[in-house]
């Protein structure tokens, strides 16, 4: 299969549509991003790397970082994590507070904001916030085998100044005893993880362990067991796109995680890891053209986990 030709074809077809969707403007720093950008990269488990468009341009990975933090937290506390956060799709917006009250401060899953904030609290355990952030940065550099991955301090600051809803979610959970650390510390970690800045190629490499039974076949780095990789993929498939998770499974059929920076990381188990970026978002906060591009890719490669 000529993957480069498939990527080139997708890029050419989407060129006239660049700029569709709406960039996230509730984070002032993200509102400045030019929406007419598009990049995509594929890294296969046998080591091919293909990319197209703005695949080398760094962007704010935002909620995609939740996959890496979940991996770290599971490594720290194992299955006990599931006393702090659930594993069910939420059926509500990424920053919703309604469900939290009904469910006594236990977020539905690790990929909505409340769930990710609870997970930041777990990773923070035994550390100063700065150390927890450093641990994540080292982990993501190790996963992508690239020391150039950074955290964009401007984005982290922008969110710290305007993330009132995340402060509300965190305070609410703290009142239920589901956060062990001060809200400012937990959110310090959370905002910095969201501000990780990566390009499509780095992100596709970082996700490769999930496509390859927990071990990055390019570096030989063993990250998690095959069972854990399978389970993280299951969570991405059911919860990775907020209230658009069902629709993404229907159209694309790959485990994936989106972020409001316009990125999506997707996994074709046993085959490849894929990253796409286009900043314009659809109504539920997922990259509009990113999802279209992945739908095209899945259709042209037959990689959907539900069959070709
Ligand atoms: N940092 C963003 C927030 O907390 C993450 C949301 C997202 O990427 O979906 O609002």
């Amino acid at each position: 299969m000529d993957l480069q030709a498939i990527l080139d074809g997708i890029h050419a077809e989407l060129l006239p549509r660049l700029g569709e969707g709406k960039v996230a403007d509730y984070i002032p720093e993200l509102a400045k991003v030019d929406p007419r950008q598009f990049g995509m990269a594929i890294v296969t488990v046998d080591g091919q790397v293909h990319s197209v468009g703005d695949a080398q341009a760094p962007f704010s990975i935002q909620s995609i970082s939740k996959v890496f933090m979940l991996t770290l937290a599971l490594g720290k506390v194992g299955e006990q994590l599931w006393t702090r956060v659930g594993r069910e799709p939420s059926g509500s917006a990424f920053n919703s507070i309604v469900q939290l009250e009904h469910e006594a401060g236990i977020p539905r899953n690790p990929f909505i904001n409340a769930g990710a904030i609870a997970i930041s609290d777990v990773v923070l355990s035994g550390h100063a916030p700065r150390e927890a952030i450093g641990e994540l940065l080292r982990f993501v550099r190790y996963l992508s085998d690239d020391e150039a991955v950074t955290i964009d301090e401007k984005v982290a600051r922008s969110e710290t100044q305007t993330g009132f809803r995340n402060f509300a979610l965190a305070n609410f959970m703290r009142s239920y005893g589901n956060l062990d650390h001060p809200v400012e510390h937990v959110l310090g970690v959370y905002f910095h993880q969201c501000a990780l800045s990566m390009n499509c190629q780095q992100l596709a490499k970082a996700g490769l362990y999930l496509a390859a039974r927990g071990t990055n076949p390019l570096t030989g780095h063993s990250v998690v067991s095959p069972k854990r990789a399978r389970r993280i993929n299951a969570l991405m498939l059911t919860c990775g796109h907020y209230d658009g998770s069902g629709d993404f499974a229907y159209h694309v059929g790959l485990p994936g995680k989106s972020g409001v920076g316009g990125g999506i990381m997707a996994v074709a188990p046993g085959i490849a890891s894929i990253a796409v970026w286009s900043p314009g978002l659809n109504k539920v906060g997922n990259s509009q053209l990113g999802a279209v591009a992945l739908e095209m890719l899945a259709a042209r490669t037959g990689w959907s986990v539900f069959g070709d």
Side-chain angles (χ1 to χ4, degrees):
M1 189 164 7
D2 188 343
L3 290 175
Q4 189 59 49
I6 292 176
L7 281 188
D8 291 339
I10 292 171
H11 185 222
E13 268 178 65
L14 291 181
L15 272 178
R17 296 178 60 180
L18 294 193
E20 271 185 28
K22 199 171 162 294
V23 296
D25 54 9
Y26 73 101
I27 301 174
E29 207 50 39
L30 294 186
K32 298 181 189 163
V33 176
D34 174 6
R36 299 182 51 80
Q37 303 185 78
F38 176 91
M40 193 166 186
I42 301 176
V43 181
T44 63
V45 296
D46 56 12
Q48 299 173 52
V49 181
H50 300 281
S51 59
V52 76
D54 303 309
Q56 312 293 339
F59 61 92
S60 192
I61 74 164
Q62 291 294 318
S63 283
I64 302 171
S65 64
K66 294 171 182 173
V67 177
F68 306 131
M69 281 295 266
L70 171 65
T71 306
L72 270 183
L74 282 169
K76 280 182 191 293
V77 300
E79 295 293 305
Q80 263 201 334
L81 186 70
W82 306 118
T83 59
R84 305 280 303 272
V85 58
R87 295 191 297 263
E88 292 295 341
S90 69
S92 43
F94 67 97
N95 54 7
S96 169
I97 201 164
V98 177
Q99 228 160 29
L100 260 187
E101 179 159 25
H102 287 304
E103 297 175 4
I106 306 292
R108 269 290 169 99
N109 68 64
F111 296 148
I112 51 173
N113 285 12
I117 292 167
I119 285 185
S120 301
D121 186 66
V122 170
V123 173
L124 185 53
S125 234
H127 287 301
R130 189 187 298 263
E131 293 160 356
I133 296 163
E135 183 180 1
L136 174 69
L137 184 58
R138 278 193 301 280
F139 182 56
V140 176
R141 286 176 173 170
Y142 170 80
L143 291 178
S144 57
D145 196 30
D146 195 331
E147 291 295 313
V149 173
T150 54
I151 289 175
D152 186 333
E153 284 295 335
K154 274 205 254 155
V155 173
R157 208 170 314 125
S158 188
E159 265 205 272
T160 309
Q161 286 160 357
T162 58
F164 307 112
R165 224 177 234 263
N166 288 321
F167 278 98
L169 291 170
N171 275 303
F172 204 67
M173 283 191 287
R174 177 115 191 181
S175 79
Y176 276 104
N178 196 19
L179 288 190
D180 294 336
H181 301 89
V183 163
E184 291 70 26
H185 291 190
V186 179
L187 288 181
V189 174
Y190 175 75
F191 291 142
H192 279 82
Q193 75 182 58
C194 289
L196 270 165
S197 175
M198 297 173 77
N199 65 38
C200 287
Q201 209 156 303
Q202 290 166 331
L203 194 56
K205 283 190 182 158
L208 199 56
Y209 71 103
L210 294 171
R213 309 180 75 245
T215 297
N216 182 328
L218 303 187
T219 58
H221 292 162
S222 167
V223 184
V224 292
S225 66
K227 177 175 166 187
R228 188 157 285 167
R230 190 170 72 235
R231 289 181 156 176
I232 294 172
N233 286 338
L235 288 165
M236 289 204 291
L237 186 86
T238 50
C239 312
H241 285 77
Y242 312 118
D243 205 11
S245 298
D247 203 50
F248 188 82
Y250 180 84
H251 285 287
V252 179
L254 295 173
K257 181 73 202 88
S258 69
V260 293
I264 303 176
M265 180 175 85
V267 172
I271 306 170
S273 168
I274 306 130
V276 61
W277 171 57
S278 178
L281 307 179
N282 63 19
K283 282 199 283 300
V284 284
N286 300 313
S287 172
Q288 173 135 334
L289 292 185
V292 174
L294 286 168
E295 180 174 2
M296 289 172 160
L297 180 74
R300 290 169 200 191
T301 54
W303 286 353
S304 163
V305 296
F306 300 111
D308 54 8

